[in-house]
Amino acid sequence: GAVVSQHPSWVICKSGTSVKIECRSLDFQATTMFWYRQFPKQSLMLMATSNEGSKATYEQGVEKDKFLINHASLTLSTLTVTSAHPEDSSFYICSASVRGATKQYFGPGTRLTVL
Amino acid sequence: GNSVTQMEGPVTLSEEAFLTINCTYTATGYPSLFWYVQYPGEGLQLLLKATKADDKGSNKGFEATYRKETTSFHLEKGSVQVSDSAVYFCALSPPGAGSYQLTFGKGTKLSVIP
């Protein structure tokens, strides 16, 4: 149980385009979802926390207008990288949690490459 | 602020060799400490954890002991298998936060060869 999927697993796009990444909890209802970014040879860095039906809370230094997060249902959150640039190329990982629990379940990640 | 430092990889070992992956942390108070493992193509999975000083977390033959005096949480396994090949992340969270508010290390890639 407690499986989280991400789609796509990898994506290549041109500079200036927008890319949407989906994060789904497959067998449980996720009241909270987290989005992380990992640059090569760096730590996972928390970008934002989203609660179902509410606006996401972004970490300091993360542009909320560039990284749009939507958590419209208890099983789906999306991260849209708007007007992507090469410096946005990274590994994006989501995780999901259930209300009242303190455990996170992680997705397999999405590799974004912006040309 | 909180930070986690773990040894750089990649680490390559022969099957049945002894494994140590070092992890040290900086945090106030008594954080909870975790090791996560990421197998190829899969999400991070909690491997083991410890919530107070001198606690030993263990799972699947892996062990790590919470050492407050040295602010360390080194991961060990006595005899690795090919199936242990993965990326290992050390992490911490503030007291009482469970696995919320995680601060991760950079990850250490382990490759075990037959």
Side-chain angles (χ1 to χ4, degrees):
Chain A
V3 177
V4 176
S5 70
Q6 283 184 239
H7 178 80
S9 54
W10 59 270
V11 57
I12 301 173
C13 69
K14 293 182 179 180
S15 185
T17 61
S18 294
V19 175
K20 180 183 287 188
I21 301 170
E22 293 185 347
C23 176
R24 292 182 186 273
S25 56
L26 298 185
D27 50 4
F28 67 102
Q29 294 185 325
T31 49
T32 303
M33 286 187 170
F34 304 85
W35 286 96
Y36 296 83
R37 179 170 56 185
Q38 184 182 26
F39 291 110
K41 299 187 179 180
Q42 299 297 315
S43 306
L44 276 76
M45 299 298 295
L46 180 65
M47 299 174 66
T49 302
S50 73
N51 292 300
E52 185 265 339
S54 302
K55 288 184 178 180
T57 302
Y58 290 81
E59 295 298 303
Q60 192 172 9
V62 178
E63 299 174 59
K64 62 180 181 180
D65 294 330
K66 180 166 185 63
F67 298 99
L68 302 179
I69 293 172
N70 183 286
H71 189 173
S73 80
L74 287 172
T75 59
L76 174 65
S77 175
T78 59
L79 167 68
T80 301
V81 183
T82 62
S83 187
H85 291 283
E87 57 265 29
D88 299 323
S89 299
S90 187
F91 195 56
Y92 292 87
I93 300 171
C94 74
S95 70
S97 184
V98 178
R99 190 191 310 278
T102 56
K103 191 171 184 179
Q104 293 184 47
Y105 300 95
F106 288 84
T110 296
R111 173 78 59 193
L112 170 63
T113 300
V114 185
L115 302 177
Chain B
N2 297 336
S3 67
V4 175
T5 303
Q6 61 181 103
M7 64 187 287
E8 298 263 343
V11 174
T12 302
L13 294 174
S14 297
E15 206 165 20
E16 299 184 1
F18 185 86
L19 168 71
T20 299
I21 301 178
N22 291 337
C23 172
T24 57
Y25 68 90
T26 302
T28 54
Y30 287 80
S32 295
L33 302 175
F34 306 84
W35 277 101
Y36 282 84
V37 58
Q38 185 177 30
Y39 298 105
E42 300 182 15
L44 275 74
Q45 302 172 27
L46 179 63
L47 179 61
L48 53 84
K49 67 179 182 181
T51 57
K52 59 183 188 293
D54 300 325
D55 263 4
K56 178 186 284 188
S58 62
N59 186 23
K60 299 181 181 180
F62 291 89
E63 292 183 340
T65 302
Y66 190 142
R67 300 288 187 199
K68 180 65 175 175
E69 64 276 15
T70 53
T71 61
S72 65
F73 194 54
H74 304 321
L75 182 68
E76 297 182 336
K77 186 174 185 181
S79 176
V80 293
Q81 304 301 312
V82 172
S83 57
D84 294 325
S85 298
V87 181
Y88 293 82
F89 293 89
C90 185
L92 67 80
S93 69
S99 64
Y100 269 42
Q101 301 179 46
L102 290 168
T103 299
F104 286 92
K106 294 181 181 180
T108 302
K109 184 176 182 180
L110 169 66
S111 297
V112 180
I113 54 177

